Amino acid sequence: QVQLVESGGGLVQAGGSLRLSCAASGSINSINAMGWYRQAPGKQRDLVAIISNDGSTTYVDSVKGRFTISRDNAKNTVYLQMNSLRPEDTAVYYCYARIKPWGHVRSYDYWGQGTQVTVSS
């Protein structure tokens, strides 16, 4: 079994910062992409940022220059440093990873349980 466990959400004032972490554990052979999605009330879940296993990154335009995604492959962990937060960043943030478990020939998509980020104005 594979699990993604997130931490680091909370309440912050506009202009503040938060750092999200997500650790993958279990029967992991290899991890390809890792990333973060978010879902605001009444909206669909959208990509925020993603990082490949070679370190290349992609960001949604609205967070470029404010958010930074990184990963520690030795710890199977992905981070999201969020600076200059805005009220419109308020959402549940979900960790994502594309993982090949031991004993499997293909990779699967895994999701964390979600962590709430609330930015007050």
Side-chain angles (χ1 to χ4, degrees):
Q1 280 187 326
V2 173
Q3 267 190 317
L4 301 182
V5 178
E6 302 148 346
S7 60
L11 172 64
V12 65
Q13 287 188 328
S17 298
L18 284 174
R19 188 189 194 214
L20 305 183
S21 300
C22 171
S25 63
S27 184
I28 297 170
N29 182 347
S30 61
I31 302 178
N32 299 319
M34 301 185 82
W36 294 92
Y37 286 69
R38 66 186 178 187
Q39 187 168 19
K43 296 190 176 182
Q44 67 181 20
R45 188 178 299 187
D46 291 325
L47 174 69
V48 176
I50 199 160
I51 183 167
S52 67
N53 55 5
D54 67 0
S56 60
T57 58
T58 300
Y59 297 91
V60 66
D61 285 347
S62 61
V63 308
K64 286 180 180 177
R66 300 189 299 123
F67 292 9
T68 302
I69 189 170
S70 61
R71 64 191 280 177
D72 184 334
N73 291 330
K75 297 180 179 179
N76 290 338
T77 299
V78 63
Y79 306 95
L80 186 68
Q81 178 66 43
M82 303 185 293
N83 299 328
S84 302
L85 282 160
R86 304 167 180 169
E88 54 264 38
D89 295 318
T90 295
V92 177
Y93 283 69
Y94 294 91
C95 175
Y96 159 84
R98 182 79 174 169
I99 296 173
K100 184 196 288 188
W102 284 110
H104 291 253
V105 297
R106 53 160 288 190
S107 298
Y108 301 89
D109 294 332
Y110 291 88
W111 295 91
Q113 78 282 4
T115 185
Q116 177 69 46
V117 171
T118 302
V119 184
S120 63
S121 57

